[in-house]
């Protein structure tokens, strides 16, 4: 019997720090000149000013769209149409899990780069290679798995720290649980959602997070 493969997946680039969004353009400009920011209401308010400052005198095209609050098929199609009409190079998610899942699906279906700017710590969506997709009536539709994880994730720790405390607490709880989930998977030779086993390197990161 063939032994189960182990695999570790992560974003191609990860940037984190206080007021990191002020360096957004400097860190991400290699991805193109035309940007679509898929934002939650709170994400737009928290990030727009810093993002605009990061572009400085650049003449890059930027479009900010407030999405409908859920990663539905209709919202994804709406954002895909904008990507095509405005000849967007890179889709950027600004907000929590639903905004991130919407942006990831939009980028995947249009073949564009994807950058994630999370505004809360309470979701796995920024670094993972899947989206949870809903129907337009808010009923669950499917899990959409991607062949790769996001091109880049940028975490502005000032924004994370200023988010409602409940989101930080939820994120801490989720992070603590990851270590035990990974340990159980390794001990039982069980596969992850992506069908492969957990690597020792991945488990070491989970333990570091727990500690």
């Amino acid at each position: 019997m063939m032994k189960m493969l182990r695999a570790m997946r992560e974003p191609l680039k990860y940037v984190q720090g206080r007021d990191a969004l002020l360096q957004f353009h400097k860190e991400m400009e290699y991805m193109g000149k035309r940007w679509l920011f898929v934002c939650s209401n709170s994400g737009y308010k928290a990030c727009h000013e810093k993002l605009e400052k990061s572009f400085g005198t650049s003449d890059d095209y930027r479009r900010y769209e407030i999405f409908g609050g859920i990663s539905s098929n209709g919202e994804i199609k709406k954002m895909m149409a904008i990507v095509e009409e405005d000849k967007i190079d890179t889709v950027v998610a600004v907000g929590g899990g639903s905004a991130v899942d919407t942006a990831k699906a939009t980028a995947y279906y249009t073949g564009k780069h994807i950058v994630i700017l999370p505004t809360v710590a309470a979701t796995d969506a920024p670094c993972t290679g899947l989206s949870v997709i809903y129907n337009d009536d808010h009923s669950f539709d499917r899990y959409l798995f991607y062949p790769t994880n996001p091109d880049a994730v940028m975490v502005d720790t000032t924004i994370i720290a200023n988010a409602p405390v409940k989101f930080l607490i939820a994120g801490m709880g989720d992070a603590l649980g990851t270590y035990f989930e990974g340990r159980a998977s390794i001990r039982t030779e069980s596969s992850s959602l992506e069908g492969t086993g957990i690597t020792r390197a991945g488990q070491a990161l989970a333990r570091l997070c727990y500690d």
Side-chain angles (χ1 to χ4, degrees), residues 83-108:
V83 167
E84 299 298 340
E85 290 166 10
D86 289 13
K87 296 180 171 57
I88 297 298
D89 298 315
T90 301
V91 180
V92 185
V94 184
S98 292
V100 171
D101 281 352
T102 300
K104 286 195 294 189
T106 300
Y108 171 68

Side-chain angles (χ1 to χ4, degrees), residues 13 17 26 30 32 38 45 53 56 62 102 114 126 150 166 192 209 211:
K13 183 175 186 176
K26 178 183 176 183
Y30 65 93
V38 178
K45 292 173 184 175
K53 284 183 179 178
R62 285 99 70 189
T102 300
I114 177 69
K166 65 180 181 180
S192 69
C209 196
D211 289 343

Side-chain angles (χ1 to χ4, degrees), residues 64-85:
Y64 296 85
E65 282 290 325
I66 307 298
F67 89 115
I70 189 169
S71 51
S72 66
N73 290 302
E75 281 297 313
I76 293 164
K77 288 177 182 176
K78 172 186 168 185
M79 297 301 170
M80 287 171 61
I82 293 171
V83 167
E84 299 298 340
E85 290 166 10

Side-chain angles (χ1 to χ4, degrees), residues 30-50:
Y30 65 93
M31 293 193 200
K33 302 280 287 182
R34 301 181 68 82
W35 308 82
L36 170 63
F37 295 87
V38 178
C39 310
S40 65
N41 271 307
S42 59
Y44 178 85
K45 292 173 184 175
C47 300
H48 177 257
E49 184 176 345
K50 284 185 177 180

